[in-house]
Amino acid sequence: MKKERFTCKKCGKTIGGHNQYLHDGMCDECFFDTYFPEDAQIYEKDAGKLLHICRKSEKKNMRFKNFLKSGDLDQKRFDIIVKEITEKIDCTACGNCCKILKTGVSTDDINRIAKHLHMPVDDFIKKYVTKNSEDLVEFKHVPCSFLQEDNTCQIYEVRPQECRDYPYLDKDVTTRCIQFFGNAEICPIVFNVLENAKKEFLEDIYVNL
Ligand code: SF4
Ligand code: SF4
């Protein structure tokens, strides 16, 4: 028997029977753009309030954590939320990660930053770097010595890789649940991504209960 072939009525991409009959003949992206067009919302920008709100939402967050672990997250829809929230939050109005986290540094980071500051590497290490109880190399001071009064970074162009990667939302959150939920208590970007994702994936969360 010849298999039916469907295409999205909006963009022409090939789609399956589920989308043809239940998503109004559109691919997921066009369907959600059409029927749920609103941008991701900002629920809270004040980093100082996040821990308290997360503690109050522990049950709902646990449900979402279980959903993430199920492996059913639609990564494309999640990435759209990340993009929209990242565009709406100004890190220079926050700086919380630089104020409360100790940044891990590699040898490459140290060499690059010392060169940028025109400092001998040994002097730089003595002044700014330490080893923690697990033998990991990190910056000595919290808040970070390079955080300026206006929340900008004095060494932004040469900052450590860990600072570039934070808050790790381009990584797979389904395998980094502990880190993701921990960062939601610290970082307004992660917190608002979490709150929007809980709303966006509400139906899927309950299917997985
Ligand atoms: S990454 Fe998060 S915690 Fe760090 S400055 Fe930006 S919003 Fe604040
Ligand atoms: S190096 Fe810059 S970006 Fe990294 S923690 Fe320090 S101030 Fe923040």
Side-chain angles (χ1 to χ4, degrees):
M1 198 168 76
K2 200 177 165 206
K3 206 179 163 200
E4 273 188 288
R5 188 174 176 276
F6 306 109
T7 52
C8 171
K9 69 181 185 187
K10 220 171 154 187
C11 73
K13 204 155 66 186
T14 302
I15 56 173
H18 173 90
N19 287 61
Q20 176 63 21
Y21 299 116
L22 298 175
H23 280 186
D24 196 17
M26 289 184 248
C27 67
D28 283 352
E29 216 166 290
C30 293
F31 176 75
F32 287 105
D33 267 3
T34 306
Y35 288 100
F36 305 98
E38 91 259 39
D39 276 4
Q41 302 296 303
I42 298 298
Y43 293 98
E44 184 56 70
K45 273 188 181 174
D46 182 349
K49 293 183 179 165
L50 304 184
L51 178 62
H52 179 65
I53 303 173
C54 286
R55 292 284 148 91
K56 269 176 55 189
S57 318
E58 229 158 335
K59 257 191 181 172
K60 283 185 187 164
N61 287 353
M62 188 54 77
R63 262 183 232 134
F64 187 64
K65 192 186 271 183
N66 290 336
F67 165 65
L68 286 182
K69 285 181 180 167
S70 75
D72 288 342
L73 178 73
D74 181 335
Q75 192 63 47
K76 256 194 185 168
R77 281 162 66 197
F78 185 80
D79 291 345
I80 290 171
I81 297 173
V82 171
K83 184 173 175 286
E84 288 176 0
I85 294 296
T86 307
E87 284 168 2
K88 287 179 181 186
I89 294 203
D90 173 13
C91 283
T92 60
C94 170
N96 203 36
C97 49
C98 311
K99 287 173 194 160
I100 66 167
L101 297 176
K102 271 203 172 178
T103 303
V105 283
S106 67
T107 308
D108 280 355
D109 292 328
I110 292 170
N111 291 338
R112 190 174 64 249
I113 301 166
K115 188 175 172 202
H116 177 81
L117 296 173
H118 306 291
M119 273 177 92
V121 171
D122 285 351
D123 290 356
F124 178 83
I125 291 174
K126 219 177 273 169
K127 190 165 179 192
Y128 296 114
V129 176
T130 186
K131 262 189 189 173
N132 68 16
S133 53
E134 286 159 16
D135 236 20
L136 296 171
V137 182
E138 58 187 22
F139 277 156
K140 214 181 252 181
H141 305 291
V142 173
C144 176
S145 311
F146 303 108
L147 182 66
Q148 305 180 113
E149 264 186 31
D150 61 357
N151 276 340
T152 57
C153 172
Q154 188 200 335
I155 53 165
Y156 188 77
E157 314 80 57
V158 291
R159 67 198 185 285
Q161 190 59 44
E162 207 169 287
C163 305
R164 292 164 201 264
D165 292 343
Y166 192 85
Y168 314 113
L169 289 171
D170 57 339
K171 309 271 187 291
D172 180 8
V173 293
T174 63
T175 55
R176 294 170 163 250
C177 282
I178 295 177
Q179 187 185 53
F180 177 64
F181 284 90
N183 285 332
E185 297 175 355
I186 295 169
C187 169
I189 294 177
V190 181
F191 173 81
N192 286 287
V193 166
L194 169 62
E195 290 306 305
N196 280 276
K198 284 192 309 200
K199 200 173 139 212
E200 172 81 10
F201 296 105
L202 193 63
E203 267 183 41
D204 313 66
I205 293 169
Y206 282 95
V207 166
N208 273 282
L209 276 181

